[in-house]
Amino acid sequence: MVQENFKFYKPCELLRSYVRYYWVFKSDQSLNTYTFPIGCPQIIFHKKEPLYIPELDTVQNKLTISGQVNFSSHLCANGKIEMIVVVFYPHTMNMFLHSPASLFYNQEISGYDIEDRGLNGLAEQVFECEDNNECVNRIEEWLLARLACNFDHTDYGIKRIYAAIKEICVHTHNTVEELSSSSCLSKKQFEREFNTLVGMNPKEYIRIIRLQKALALLHQKKNDINHAQIAYASGYADQSHYIREFKRLSGYTPQSLLKISEPYSDLFTIPV
């Protein structure tokens, strides 16, 4: 997507532990762009033409909940686009939707299908409002109201999974057994809680983090790339493991991706 057509918004202080950022994209041009799994779920409001995802043969709904995915995909549109997106932290979206994140795994779900009258009412406000700054304000008001009414700040399950995610982002070589042990949970309990909050199993999520870390390092070191060093720093067992896993998740080897685009990590970059 063309960077000039984006506008990013930082969440208010009370929401910064739950929402990474909001972004608005507007364009009158056709769109065909390729995206990688970023490890963060999103709620999307399409004020004009929704996006088509050929890998799923799916057109996003005007109100779409985009869950965790383990594959890269194209985003396509032929006409005018105007979309507002809420990007959550990996484990926080279901605090606002009252649905397990696993429900949205590898899917683009219509927000109307989860029968949440509050969310439907918010979507109606967003679609009727012409000022996107005001739309973001209304989204924030809705999120704050949900947070105040429904979130138990003493939920140790949420805190444990958050601590595990932070550990994964720093030390991507960690095993599920090590993470469950540091969370004071059995492996089975840890996997169940992680899947409920994050939307995929921890082993799979570690693969997404490694890919995103590799993308970040490829971007940072674009003038002096050493793939063996990037493989090690990203948590891969060796360079062949790095190339194999990178291609499985992105569709390209690191070297072939560098020939057609500049790698960029959505997970390790906050643009506001």
Side-chain angles (χ1 to χ4, degrees), residues 25 57 132 169 224 246:
F25 178 72
D57 192 21
N132 285 328
C169 288
D224 185 26
F246 194 102

Side-chain angles (χ1 to χ4, degrees), residues 17-270:
S17 296
Y18 315 105
V19 177
R20 295 186 68 218
Y21 53 86
Y22 314 94
W23 56 269
V24 174
F25 178 72
K26 296 176 68 173
S27 176
D28 292 333
Q29 306 297 318
S30 61
L31 173 73
N32 188 337
T33 191
Y34 195 62
T35 64
F36 306 118
I38 70 169
C40 294
Q42 303 168 81
I43 298 179
I44 304 168
F45 301 87
H46 285 289
K47 299 178 80 171
K48 294 185 179 176
E49 182 178 336
L51 302 180
Y52 173 62
I53 302 173
E55 287 78 7
L56 296 175
D57 192 21
T58 295
V59 177
Q60 291 181 332
N61 193 274
K62 285 185 67 178
L63 171 61
T64 290
I65 301 169
S66 184
Q68 298 282 5
V69 299
N70 63 2
F71 60 91
S72 295
S73 61
H74 291 83
L75 302 176
C76 308
N78 293 319
K80 292 185 177 181
I81 307 164
E82 185 172 354
M83 55 194 293
I84 302 172
V85 182
V86 184
V87 182
F88 293 93
Y89 282 98
H91 62 298
T92 60
M93 185 173 72
N94 66 333
M95 298 179 192
F96 303 94
L97 296 183
H98 316 308
S99 299
S102 53
L103 177 69
F104 310 106
Y105 174 66
N106 274 353
Q107 296 190 73
E108 304 287 317
I109 299 287
S110 167
Y112 298 110
D113 287 346
I114 65 171
E115 300 181 349
D116 184 326
R117 288 195 294 178
L119 180 62
N120 295 351
L122 171 64
E124 186 176 342
Q125 291 183 51
V126 169
F127 297 141
E128 289 178 352
C129 180
E130 294 184 4
D131 183 341
N132 285 328
N133 294 323
E134 179 60 26
C135 289
V136 172
N137 289 336
R138 293 186 186 186
I139 291 168
E140 286 229 309
E141 289 172 2
W142 182 84
L143 291 169
L144 285 167
R146 280 283 167 104
L147 191 65
C149 290
N150 302 309
F151 180 53
D152 179 1
H153 290 268
T154 64
D155 190 324
Y156 294 111
I158 291 170
K159 292 178 180 178
R160 280 193 292 250
I161 298 306
Y162 175 53
I165 291 168
K166 289 200 298 182
E167 182 67 17
I168 293 167
C169 288
V170 176
H171 302 293
T172 46
H173 60 275
N174 278 326
T175 65
V176 177
E177 289 78 9
E178 289 170 336
L179 292 166
S180 60
S181 177
S182 63
S183 300
C184 299
L185 293 169
S186 70
K187 182 172 178 287
K188 189 172 183 179
Q189 287 175 316
F190 176 74
E191 288 176 329
R192 183 171 60 248
E193 287 200 18
F194 195 98
N195 197 37
T196 297
L197 290 174
V198 178
M200 60 172 45
N201 69 61
K203 186 174 182 181
E204 192 169 33
Y205 193 74
I206 291 169
R207 292 190 177 115
I208 303 300
I209 299 296
R210 286 174 181 158
L211 170 70
Q212 285 290 329
K213 183 162 278 193
L215 288 168
L217 290 169
L218 286 168
H219 179 77
Q220 294 168 15
K221 300 177 181 298
K222 54 191 172 186
N223 296 321
D224 185 26
I225 290 173
N226 183 314
H227 289 290
Q229 290 179 354
I230 290 174
Y232 176 78
S234 302
Y236 295 99
D238 51 40
Q239 191 169 340
S240 62
H241 180 218
Y242 156 64
I243 293 169
R244 183 171 64 251
E245 284 286 296
F246 194 102
K247 185 174 182 180
R248 186 177 78 83
L249 288 171
S250 75
Y252 296 90
T253 65
Q255 196 62 44
S256 62
L257 181 64
L258 286 166
K259 292 177 181 178
I260 62 167
S261 67
E262 183 174 313
Y264 177 84
S265 170
D266 288 290
L267 184 64
F268 289 98
T269 304
I270 297 183

